[in-house]
Amino acid sequence: MTYETIGNHILADFWGVDFDKLNDIEFLKKEMAAAAEASGAKIVAVQGKAFKPIGATVLILLSESHLSIHTYPEKGYAAVDGFTCGEKVAPEKAISHLMGVLDPEKAFMKKVVRGTGELEITPLNME
Amino acid sequence: MTYETIGNHILADFWGVDFDKLNDIEFLKKEMAAAAEASGAKIVAVQGKAFKPIGATVLILLSESHLSIHTYPEKGYAAVDGFTCGEKVAPEKAISHLMGVLDPEKAFMKKVVRGTGELEITPLNME
């Protein structure tokens, strides 16, 4: 059995996000899991850490790679990654879900196609 | 208390890696932890999953963001990410460590500076 190495990786920096959302580890775990499900990925494990005095990280191990978020509530900033291998899972849907619930004032994003040779920066089409 | 949002994120695709290394979850967990330490990061948690029939993922939650590897032993391929916030930790050192132990025939890499506005693709200088 072999798997396709092709993967789609979206790097998304969100700014202007509400402090309370970014500092609520349970909210972030729930919404990251919902984002994974929205993308069509299968969740293997969810790991979260609330840092003291502030900030949080959630890492989701997927059958199809990973989702991550690192938050800086005092800056209204979150660094989000959605990396999924194969063609059946769409990390755009995970990012869209998070944009919907985190409601950033600004989002800077790149999409990188991996697993095919040179890493290719490609246009990102969010619905 | 506030933290600097600036982060350095290296995306590295390794090809031509030995099958046995890429399919050995304990080896990968050990070397990913060693890579994190080499970068100067603090490990919060190490999570690993050996997939059936083949392949593995290791996610390391750091105080300074994360390291990840997803492997396709049958293709000799591994997708590695080293993402660290702040200026005191160098993801290049984590990637260098992994290149040393995985010994890929080819590596395709990009470095992205995050947490400062537009995501900036920057030159990657590996020692």
Side-chain angles (χ1 to χ4, degrees):
Chain A
M1 184 169 181
T2 63
Y3 297 94
E4 292 306 311
T5 54
I6 189 169
N8 294 295
H9 187 166
I10 298 174
L11 295 75
D13 279 11
F14 292 164
W15 294 92
V17 181
D18 185 63
F19 181 100
D20 291 336
K21 289 178 181 173
L22 295 183
N23 209 37
D24 182 341
I25 187 71
E26 294 308 323
F27 169 81
L28 293 170
K29 285 166 75 172
K30 179 170 73 78
E31 295 301 345
M32 288 287 285
E37 283 165 13
S39 75
K42 186 180 167 204
I43 295 171
V44 174
V46 178
Q47 191 167 35
K49 168 79 178 174
F51 291 100
K52 290 182 181 173
I54 204 168
T57 284
V58 176
L59 298 181
I60 301 196
L61 201 165
L62 304 173
S63 287
E64 305 84 357
S65 298
H66 71 268
L67 291 186
S68 64
I69 189 167
H70 307 290
T71 75
Y72 298 71
E74 76 282 19
K75 304 283 179 76
Y77 171 64
V80 177
D81 283 76
F83 181 16
T84 59
C85 65
E87 301 281 22
K88 291 181 186 165
V89 178
E92 287 84 351
K93 292 181 183 172
I95 302 297
S96 283
H97 177 86
L98 292 171
M99 289 187 76
V101 295
L102 294 175
D103 194 23
E105 290 172 11
K106 273 202 170 182
F108 298 104
M109 298 191 274
K110 297 269 188 213
K111 180 176 175 180
V112 184
V113 176
R114 305 179 64 168
T116 60
E118 288 285 353
L119 304 196
E120 188 190 349
I121 313 292
T122 60
L124 175 61
N125 297 311
M126 302 293 290
E127 283 167 15
Chain B
M1 185 168 181
T2 63
Y3 297 94
E4 291 306 311
T5 54
I6 189 168
N8 293 295
H9 188 168
I10 298 174
L11 294 75
D13 278 12
F14 292 165
W15 294 92
V17 180
D18 185 63
F19 180 101
D20 291 336
K21 289 178 180 173
L22 294 184
N23 210 36
D24 182 342
I25 187 71
E26 294 306 324
F27 169 81
L28 294 170
K29 284 166 76 171
K30 179 169 73 78
E31 295 300 346
M32 288 287 285
E37 284 166 11
S39 75
K42 186 179 168 206
I43 296 172
V44 174
V46 178
Q47 190 167 35
K49 169 78 178 174
F51 291 99
K52 290 180 181 173
I54 205 168
T57 284
V58 177
L59 298 181
I60 301 196
L61 201 165
L62 304 173
S63 286
E64 305 85 356
S65 298
H66 72 267
L67 291 186
S68 65
I69 189 168
H70 306 289
T71 75
Y72 299 71
E74 76 282 17
K75 303 284 179 75
Y77 171 65
V80 177
D81 284 76
F83 181 17
T84 60
C85 64
E87 300 282 22
K88 292 182 183 163
V89 178
E92 287 84 351
K93 292 181 181 171
I95 302 297
S96 282
H97 176 87
L98 293 170
M99 288 188 77
V101 295
L102 294 175
D103 194 23
E105 289 171 11
K106 274 203 169 182
F108 298 104
M109 298 191 275
K110 297 269 187 212
K111 180 176 176 179
V112 184
V113 176
R114 304 178 66 166
T116 61
E118 287 286 352
L119 303 196
E120 188 190 351
I121 313 293
T122 60
L124 176 62
N125 297 310
M126 302 293 292
E127 283 167 13

